[in-house]
mmCIF file of all heavy atoms in Angstrom:
data_model
loop_
_atom_site.group_PDB
_atom_site.id
_atom_site.type_symbol
_atom_site.label_atom_id
_atom_site.label_comp_id
_atom_site.label_asym_id
_atom_site.label_seq_id
_atom_site.Cartn_x
_atom_site.Cartn_y
_atom_site.Cartn_z
ATOM 1 N N ARG X 6 7.390 -12.293 -3.050
ATOM 2 C CA ARG X 6 8.592 -11.927 -3.807
ATOM 3 C C ARG X 6 8.570 -10.422 -4.056
ATOM 4 O O ARG X 6 7.522 -9.884 -4.421
ATOM 5 C CB ARG X 6 8.686 -12.710 -5.115
ATOM 6 C CG ARG X 6 8.940 -14.205 -4.902
ATOM 7 C CD ARG X 6 9.102 -14.930 -6.240
ATOM 8 N NE ARG X 6 9.465 -16.327 -6.063
ATOM 9 C CZ ARG X 6 8.617 -17.303 -5.856
ATOM 10 N NH1 ARG X 6 7.308 -17.013 -5.845
ATOM 11 N NH2 ARG X 6 8.987 -18.540 -5.674
ATOM 12 N N VAL X 7 9.681 -9.780 -3.921
ATOM 13 C CA VAL X 7 9.765 -8.350 -4.119
ATOM 14 C C VAL X 7 9.581 -8.019 -5.592
ATOM 15 O O VAL X 7 10.248 -8.590 -6.447
ATOM 16 C CB VAL X 7 11.120 -7.782 -3.614
ATOM 17 C CG1 VAL X 7 11.173 -6.271 -3.862
ATOM 18 C CG2 VAL X 7 11.300 -8.092 -2.140
ATOM 19 N N LYS X 8 8.632 -7.112 -5.877
ATOM 20 C CA LYS X 8 8.313 -6.763 -7.268
ATOM 21 C C LYS X 8 8.942 -5.414 -7.619
ATOM 22 O O LYS X 8 8.940 -4.488 -6.841
ATOM 23 C CB LYS X 8 6.795 -6.705 -7.462
ATOM 24 C CG LYS X 8 6.083 -7.990 -7.137
ATOM 25 C CD LYS X 8 4.580 -7.799 -7.094
ATOM 26 C CE LYS X 8 3.868 -9.092 -6.714
ATOM 27 N NZ LYS X 8 2.400 -8.919 -6.557
ATOM 28 N N ARG X 9 9.462 -5.315 -8.823
ATOM 29 C CA ARG X 9 10.068 -4.069 -9.309
ATOM 30 C C ARG X 9 9.020 -3.289 -10.087
ATOM 31 O O ARG X 9 9.033 -3.222 -11.312
ATOM 32 C CB ARG X 9 11.260 -4.391 -10.190
ATOM 33 C CG ARG X 9 12.506 -4.858 -9.445
ATOM 34 C CD ARG X 9 13.046 -3.774 -8.552
ATOM 35 N NE ARG X 9 14.295 -4.167 -7.934
ATOM 36 C CZ ARG X 9 15.495 -3.810 -8.367
ATOM 37 N NH1 ARG X 9 15.594 -3.032 -9.464
ATOM 38 N NH2 ARG X 9 16.577 -4.223 -7.749
ATOM 39 N N LYS X 10 8.091 -2.702 -9.354
ATOM 40 C CA LYS X 10 7.084 -1.832 -9.992
ATOM 41 C C LYS X 10 6.449 -0.954 -8.940
ATOM 42 O O LYS X 10 6.681 -1.105 -7.724
ATOM 43 C CB LYS X 10 6.041 -2.637 -10.722
ATOM 44 C CG LYS X 10 5.129 -3.492 -9.848
ATOM 45 C CD LYS X 10 4.050 -4.152 -10.711
ATOM 46 C CE LYS X 10 3.055 -4.919 -9.900
ATOM 47 N NZ LYS X 10 1.977 -5.532 -10.741
ATOM 48 N N ASP X 11 5.658 0.000 -9.364
ATOM 49 C CA ASP X 11 5.002 0.942 -8.456
ATOM 50 C C ASP X 11 3.827 0.218 -7.755
ATOM 51 O O ASP X 11 2.949 -0.322 -8.420
ATOM 52 C CB ASP X 11 4.468 2.121 -9.259
ATOM 53 C CG ASP X 11 3.896 3.244 -8.371
ATOM 54 O OD1 ASP X 11 3.632 2.964 -7.174
ATOM 55 O OD2 ASP X 11 3.741 4.356 -8.869
ATOM 56 N N PRO X 12 3.817 0.187 -6.411
ATOM 57 C CA PRO X 12 2.713 -0.493 -5.691
ATOM 58 C C PRO X 12 1.359 0.123 -5.979
ATOM 59 O O PRO X 12 0.320 -0.534 -5.863
ATOM 60 C CB PRO X 12 3.105 -0.339 -4.234
ATOM 61 C CG PRO X 12 4.030 0.837 -4.199
ATOM 62 C CD PRO X 12 4.783 0.778 -5.479
ATOM 63 N N LYS X 13 1.324 1.385 -6.434
ATOM 64 C CA LYS X 13 0.044 2.065 -6.664
ATOM 65 C C LYS X 13 -0.640 1.509 -7.920
ATOM 66 O O LYS X 13 -1.793 1.845 -8.162
ATOM 67 C CB LYS X 13 0.295 3.563 -6.818
ATOM 68 C CG LYS X 13 0.749 4.184 -5.516
ATOM 69 C CD LYS X 13 1.101 5.665 -5.637
ATOM 70 C CE LYS X 13 1.653 6.209 -4.329
ATOM 71 N NZ LYS X 13 2.087 7.617 -4.445
ATOM 72 N N ILE X 14 0.070 0.691 -8.658
ATOM 73 C CA ILE X 14 -0.564 0.012 -9.807
ATOM 74 C C ILE X 14 -1.566 -1.011 -9.308
ATOM 75 O O ILE X 14 -2.660 -1.168 -9.860
ATOM 76 C CB ILE X 14 0.489 -0.651 -10.675
ATOM 77 C CG1 ILE X 14 1.405 0.402 -11.330
ATOM 78 C CG2 ILE X 14 -0.175 -1.528 -11.782
ATOM 79 C CD1 ILE X 14 2.546 -0.169 -12.133
ATOM 80 N N ASP X 15 -1.213 -1.701 -8.211
ATOM 81 C CA ASP X 15 -2.058 -2.776 -7.668
ATOM 82 C C ASP X 15 -2.863 -2.362 -6.441
ATOM 83 O O ASP X 15 -3.866 -3.007 -6.110
ATOM 84 C CB ASP X 15 -1.185 -3.981 -7.266
ATOM 85 C CG ASP X 15 -0.488 -4.615 -8.467
ATOM 86 O OD1 ASP X 15 -1.003 -4.501 -9.586
ATOM 87 O OD2 ASP X 15 0.600 -5.206 -8.271
ATOM 88 N N TYR X 16 -2.445 -1.262 -5.778
ATOM 89 C CA TYR X 16 -3.095 -0.857 -4.536
ATOM 90 C C TYR X 16 -3.501 0.619 -4.565
ATOM 91 O O TYR X 16 -2.739 1.456 -5.072
ATOM 92 C CB TYR X 16 -2.149 -1.104 -3.345
ATOM 93 C CG TYR X 16 -1.786 -2.555 -3.175
ATOM 94 C CD1 TYR X 16 -0.696 -3.113 -3.837
ATOM 95 C CD2 TYR X 16 -2.569 -3.389 -2.353
ATOM 96 C CE1 TYR X 16 -0.338 -4.446 -3.685
ATOM 97 C CE2 TYR X 16 -2.221 -4.718 -2.199
ATOM 98 C CZ TYR X 16 -1.133 -5.255 -2.855
ATOM 99 O OH TYR X 16 -0.810 -6.584 -2.747
ATOM 100 N N ARG X 17 -4.649 0.901 -4.021
ATOM 101 C CA ARG X 17 -5.131 2.256 -3.929
ATOM 102 C C ARG X 17 -4.855 2.803 -2.515
ATOM 103 O O ARG X 17 -5.342 2.242 -1.543
ATOM 104 C CB ARG X 17 -6.641 2.321 -4.243
ATOM 105 C CG ARG X 17 -7.228 3.734 -4.241
ATOM 106 C CD ARG X 17 -8.669 3.730 -4.779
ATOM 107 N NE ARG X 17 -9.548 2.831 -4.034
ATOM 108 C CZ ARG X 17 -9.960 1.647 -4.469
ATOM 109 N NH1 ARG X 17 -9.585 1.197 -5.679
ATOM 110 N NH2 ARG X 17 -10.766 0.902 -3.778
ATOM 111 N N MET X 18 -4.053 3.836 -2.421
ATOM 112 C CA MET X 18 -3.643 4.387 -1.136
ATOM 113 C C MET X 18 -4.715 5.328 -0.597
ATOM 114 O O MET X 18 -5.367 6.052 -1.362
ATOM 115 C CB MET X 18 -2.314 5.121 -1.259
ATOM 116 C CG MET X 18 -1.172 4.274 -1.794
ATOM 117 S SD MET X 18 -0.774 2.901 -0.711
ATOM 118 C CE MET X 18 0.030 1.785 -1.914
ATOM 119 N N SER X 19 -4.914 5.310 0.749
ATOM 120 C CA SER X 19 -5.852 6.253 1.382
ATOM 121 C C SER X 19 -5.193 6.952 2.536
ATOM 122 O O SER X 19 -4.074 7.411 2.390
ATOM 123 C CB SER X 19 -7.124 5.491 1.767
ATOM 124 O OG SER X 19 -6.836 4.365 2.569
ATOM 125 N N GLU X 20 -5.831 7.003 3.717
ATOM 126 C CA GLU X 20 -5.338 7.858 4.773
ATOM 127 C C GLU X 20 -4.012 7.371 5.393
ATOM 128 O O GLU X 20 -3.725 6.188 5.399
ATOM 129 C CB GLU X 20 -6.364 8.018 5.889
ATOM 130 C CG GLU X 20 -6.631 6.747 6.699
ATOM 131 C CD GLU X 20 -7.835 5.973 6.213
ATOM 132 O OE1 GLU X 20 -8.141 6.021 5.003
ATOM 133 O OE2 GLU X 20 -8.489 5.320 7.053
ATOM 134 N N GLU X 21 -3.269 8.320 5.902
ATOM 135 C CA GLU X 21 -2.009 8.002 6.560
ATOM 136 C C GLU X 21 -2.349 7.429 7.946
ATOM 137 O O GLU X 21 -3.197 7.925 8.695
ATOM 138 C CB GLU X 21 -1.180 9.281 6.735
ATOM 139 C CG GLU X 21 0.162 9.046 7.436
ATOM 140 C CD GLU X 21 0.956 10.311 7.582
ATOM 141 O OE1 GLU X 21 1.017 11.121 6.622
ATOM 142 O OE2 GLU X 21 1.546 10.515 8.679
ATOM 143 N N LEU X 22 -1.642 6.337 8.320
ATOM 144 C CA LEU X 22 -1.866 5.690 9.617
ATOM 145 C C LEU X 22 -0.776 6.033 10.637
ATOM 146 O O LEU X 22 -1.021 5.957 11.838
ATOM 147 C CB LEU X 22 -1.891 4.176 9.420
ATOM 148 C CG LEU X 22 -3.023 3.612 8.517
ATOM 149 C CD1 LEU X 22 -2.902 2.125 8.386
ATOM 150 C CD2 LEU X 22 -4.383 3.974 9.103
ATOM 151 N N GLY X 23 0.380 6.431 10.162
ATOM 152 C CA GLY X 23 1.476 6.740 11.075
ATOM 153 C C GLY X 23 2.766 6.996 10.349
ATOM 154 O O GLY X 23 2.907 6.667 9.184
ATOM 155 N N ARG X 24 3.704 7.564 11.081
ATOM 156 C CA ARG X 24 5.046 7.804 10.511
ATOM 157 C C ARG X 24 6.072 7.795 11.649
ATOM 158 O O ARG X 24 5.762 8.018 12.775
ATOM 159 C CB ARG X 24 5.081 9.117 9.736
ATOM 160 C CG ARG X 24 4.827 10.379 10.562
ATOM 161 C CD ARG X 24 5.051 11.603 9.711
ATOM 162 N NE ARG X 24 4.129 11.697 8.569
ATOM 163 C CZ ARG X 24 4.406 12.337 7.447
ATOM 164 N NH1 ARG X 24 5.571 12.950 7.313
ATOM 165 N NH2 ARG X 24 3.519 12.382 6.464
ATOM 166 N N GLY X 25 7.306 7.524 11.244
ATOM 167 C CA GLY X 25 8.385 7.473 12.230
ATOM 168 C C GLY X 25 9.726 7.380 11.509
ATOM 169 O O GLY X 25 9.852 7.790 10.361
ATOM 170 N N LYS X 26 10.704 6.842 12.223
ATOM 171 C CA LYS X 26 12.041 6.766 11.662
ATOM 172 C C LYS X 26 12.120 5.883 10.408
ATOM 173 O O LYS X 26 13.010 6.030 9.580
ATOM 174 C CB LYS X 26 13.017 6.255 12.719
ATOM 175 C CG LYS X 26 12.726 4.812 13.220
ATOM 176 C CD LYS X 26 13.660 4.426 14.296
ATOM 177 C CE LYS X 26 13.374 3.030 14.848
ATOM 178 N NZ LYS X 26 14.288 2.619 15.893
ATOM 179 N N PHE X 27 11.161 4.956 10.276
ATOM 180 C CA PHE X 27 11.171 4.053 9.148
ATOM 181 C C PHE X 27 10.574 4.627 7.888
ATOM 182 O O PHE X 27 10.895 4.230 6.762
ATOM 183 C CB PHE X 27 10.366 2.759 9.501
ATOM 184 C CG PHE X 27 8.972 3.087 9.969
ATOM 185 C CD1 PHE X 27 7.954 3.394 9.110
ATOM 186 C CD2 PHE X 27 8.690 3.079 11.335
ATOM 187 C CE1 PHE X 27 6.671 3.707 9.562
ATOM 188 C CE2 PHE X 27 7.425 3.385 11.809
ATOM 189 C CZ PHE X 27 6.422 3.689 10.890
ATOM 190 N N GLY X 28 9.683 5.617 8.005
ATOM 191 C CA GLY X 28 8.990 6.144 6.854
ATOM 192 C C GLY X 28 7.535 6.431 7.199
ATOM 193 O O GLY X 28 7.229 6.868 8.301
ATOM 194 N N ILE X 29 6.650 6.128 6.249
ATOM 195 C CA ILE X 29 5.209 6.442 6.424
ATOM 196 C C ILE X 29 4.356 5.213 6.125
ATOM 197 O O ILE X 29 4.662 4.445 5.186
ATOM 198 C CB ILE X 29 4.804 7.618 5.499
ATOM 199 C CG1 ILE X 29 5.718 8.822 5.745
ATOM 200 C CG2 ILE X 29 3.357 8.019 5.747
ATOM 201 C CD1 ILE X 29 5.443 9.979 4.795
ATOM 202 N N VAL X 30 3.284 5.016 6.893
ATOM 203 C CA VAL X 30 2.366 3.916 6.665
ATOM 204 C C VAL X 30 0.977 4.485 6.280
ATOM 205 O O VAL X 30 0.471 5.395 6.937
ATOM 206 C CB VAL X 30 2.198 3.048 7.947
ATOM 207 C CG1 VAL X 30 1.173 1.936 7.689
ATOM 208 C CG2 VAL X 30 3.539 2.479 8.373
ATOM 209 N N TYR X 31 0.435 3.946 5.203
ATOM 210 C CA TYR X 31 -0.901 4.335 4.713
ATOM 211 C C TYR X 31 -1.830 3.131 4.756
ATOM 212 O O TYR X 31 -1.428 1.983 4.599
ATOM 213 C CB TYR X 31 -0.819 4.842 3.270
ATOM 214 C CG TYR X 31 -0.007 6.074 3.073
ATOM 215 C CD1 TYR X 31 1.336 6.003 2.718
ATOM 216 C CD2 TYR X 31 -0.565 7.344 3.245
ATOM 217 C CE1 TYR X 31 2.107 7.127 2.524
ATOM 218 C CE2 TYR X 31 0.204 8.499 3.079
ATOM 219 C CZ TYR X 31 1.540 8.387 2.708
ATOM 220 O OH TYR X 31 2.300 9.522 2.546
ATOM 221 N N LYS X 32 -3.108 3.429 4.905
ATOM 222 C CA LYS X 32 -4.099 2.393 4.682
ATOM 223 C C LYS X 32 -4.245 2.246 3.188
ATOM 224 O O LYS X 32 -4.182 3.238 2.433
ATOM 225 C CB LYS X 32 -5.445 2.785 5.305
ATOM 226 C CG LYS X 32 -6.494 1.703 5.229
ATOM 227 C CD LYS X 32 -7.760 2.120 6.013
ATOM 228 C CE LYS X 32 -8.831 1.024 6.013
ATOM 229 N NZ LYS X 32 -10.034 1.416 6.774
ATOM 230 N N CYS X 33 -4.433 1.023 2.694
ATOM 231 C CA CYS X 33 -4.557 0.839 1.249
ATOM 232 C C CYS X 33 -5.555 -0.274 0.944
ATOM 233 O O CYS X 33 -5.921 -1.036 1.842
ATOM 234 C CB CYS X 33 -3.212 0.537 0.611
ATOM 235 S SG CYS X 33 -2.504 -1.058 1.040
ATOM 236 N N THR X 34 -5.978 -0.358 -0.297
ATOM 237 C CA THR X 34 -6.929 -1.358 -0.746
ATOM 238 C C THR X 34 -6.373 -2.039 -1.988
ATOM 239 O O THR X 34 -5.962 -1.359 -2.931
ATOM 240 C CB THR X 34 -8.298 -0.732 -1.085
ATOM 241 O OG1 THR X 34 -8.777 -0.019 0.056
ATOM 242 C CG2 THR X 34 -9.290 -1.817 -1.461
ATOM 243 N N GLU X 35 -6.346 -3.360 -1.989
ATOM 244 C CA GLU X 35 -5.919 -4.105 -3.154
ATOM 245 C C GLU X 35 -7.007 -3.971 -4.220
ATOM 246 O O GLU X 35 -8.161 -4.329 -3.983
ATOM 247 C CB GLU X 35 -5.657 -5.561 -2.846
ATOM 248 C CG GLU X 35 -5.040 -6.336 -4.012
ATOM 249 C CD GLU X 35 -4.690 -7.764 -3.638
ATOM 250 O OE1 GLU X 35 -5.354 -8.352 -2.750
ATOM 251 O OE2 GLU X 35 -3.740 -8.288 -4.253
ATOM 252 N N LYS X 36 -6.674 -3.431 -5.384
ATOM 253 C CA LYS X 36 -7.649 -3.168 -6.424
ATOM 254 C C LYS X 36 -8.356 -4.451 -6.907
ATOM 255 O O LYS X 36 -9.564 -4.448 -7.163
ATOM 256 C CB LYS X 36 -6.980 -2.462 -7.590
ATOM 257 C CG LYS X 36 -6.459 -1.059 -7.243
ATOM 258 C CD LYS X 36 -5.749 -0.399 -8.423
ATOM 259 C CE LYS X 36 -5.210 0.956 -8.052
ATOM 260 N NZ LYS X 36 -4.488 1.604 -9.172
ATOM 261 N N LYS X 37 -7.600 -5.519 -6.983
ATOM 262 C CA LYS X 37 -8.137 -6.760 -7.542
ATOM 263 C C LYS X 37 -9.154 -7.431 -6.608
ATOM 264 O O LYS X 37 -10.171 -7.985 -7.054
ATOM 265 C CB LYS X 37 -7.026 -7.740 -7.868
ATOM 266 C CG LYS X 37 -7.465 -9.045 -8.485
ATOM 267 C CD LYS X 37 -6.247 -9.854 -8.972
ATOM 268 C CE LYS X 37 -5.357 -10.246 -7.824
ATOM 269 N NZ LYS X 37 -4.239 -11.122 -8.283
ATOM 270 N N THR X 38 -8.901 -7.383 -5.286
ATOM 271 C CA THR X 38 -9.747 -8.140 -4.338
ATOM 272 C C THR X 38 -10.557 -7.234 -3.400
ATOM 273 O O THR X 38 -11.515 -7.710 -2.777
ATOM 274 C CB THR X 38 -8.842 -9.027 -3.436
ATOM 275 O OG1 THR X 38 -7.990 -8.156 -2.618
ATOM 276 C CG2 THR X 38 -7.965 -9.938 -4.285
ATOM 277 N N GLY X 39 -10.203 -5.956 -3.287
ATOM 278 C CA GLY X 39 -10.895 -5.060 -2.364
ATOM 279 C C GLY X 39 -10.434 -5.249 -0.921
ATOM 280 O O GLY X 39 -11.019 -4.656 0.001
ATOM 281 N N LYS X 40 -9.394 -6.044 -0.715
ATOM 282 C CA LYS X 40 -8.899 -6.299 0.642
ATOM 283 C C LYS X 40 -8.203 -5.065 1.206
ATOM 284 O O LYS X 40 -7.400 -4.422 0.540
ATOM 285 C CB LYS X 40 -7.897 -7.485 0.600
ATOM 286 C CG LYS X 40 -7.417 -7.929 1.981
ATOM 287 C CD LYS X 40 -6.423 -9.088 1.871
ATOM 288 C CE LYS X 40 -7.101 -10.337 1.407
ATOM 289 N NZ LYS X 40 -8.041 -10.865 2.404
ATOM 290 N N HIS X 41 -8.516 -4.733 2.440
ATOM 291 C CA HIS X 41 -7.877 -3.595 3.110
ATOM 292 C C HIS X 41 -6.611 -4.021 3.801
ATOM 293 O O HIS X 41 -6.584 -4.992 4.544
ATOM 294 C CB HIS X 41 -8.871 -2.996 4.126
ATOM 295 C CG HIS X 41 -10.105 -2.452 3.545
ATOM 296 N ND1 HIS X 41 -10.123 -1.462 2.584
ATOM 297 C CD2 HIS X 41 -11.413 -2.765 3.772
ATOM 298 C CE1 HIS X 41 -11.374 -1.186 2.231
ATOM 299 N NE2 HIS X 41 -12.186 -1.969 2.940
ATOM 300 N N LEU X 42 -5.543 -3.276 3.534
ATOM 301 C CA LEU X 42 -4.230 -3.627 4.076
ATOM 302 C C LEU X 42 -3.488 -2.343 4.478
ATOM 303 O O LEU X 42 -4.082 -1.265 4.455
ATOM 304 C CB LEU X 42 -3.427 -4.375 2.997
ATOM 305 C CG LEU X 42 -4.045 -5.707 2.523
ATOM 306 C CD1 LEU X 42 -3.689 -5.955 1.083
ATOM 307 C CD2 LEU X 42 -3.561 -6.845 3.425
ATOM 308 N N ALA X 43 -2.245 -2.482 4.863
ATOM 309 C CA ALA X 43 -1.416 -1.317 5.225
ATOM 310 C C ALA X 43 -0.175 -1.297 4.339
ATOM 311 O O ALA X 43 0.431 -2.347 4.092
ATOM 312 C CB ALA X 43 -1.023 -1.395 6.675
ATOM 313 N N ALA X 44 0.184 -0.106 3.849
ATOM 314 C CA ALA X 44 1.337 0.056 2.988
ATOM 315 C C ALA X 44 2.417 0.852 3.749
ATOM 316 O O ALA X 44 2.197 1.974 4.139
ATOM 317 C CB ALA X 44 0.974 0.779 1.701
#
């Protein structure tokens, strides 16, 4: 479900993975679980 809050509250952003017409993608880590994902 789409949440109305800043994703950086729950996820720690790190290096940029790519960018294009859609915007920018970063590697990130969920603070609660340590799971590595893409933002």
Side-chain angles (χ1 to χ4, degrees):
R6 292 184 174 84
V7 179
K8 300 170 182 175
R9 287 295 186 99
K10 67 176 185 178
D11 187 343
K13 294 175 184 176
I14 295 174
D15 296 333
Y16 298 88
R17 183 171 56 256
M18 303 297 157
S19 53
E20 69 264 30
E21 180 181 318
L22 297 177
R24 62 174 63 205
K26 62 183 178 180
F27 53 80
I29 305 175
V30 178
Y31 297 94
K32 186 173 182 179
C33 69
T34 304
E35 187 176 29
K36 294 178 181 179
K37 182 171 63 176
T38 65
K40 185 181 292 292
H41 297 302
L42 299 150

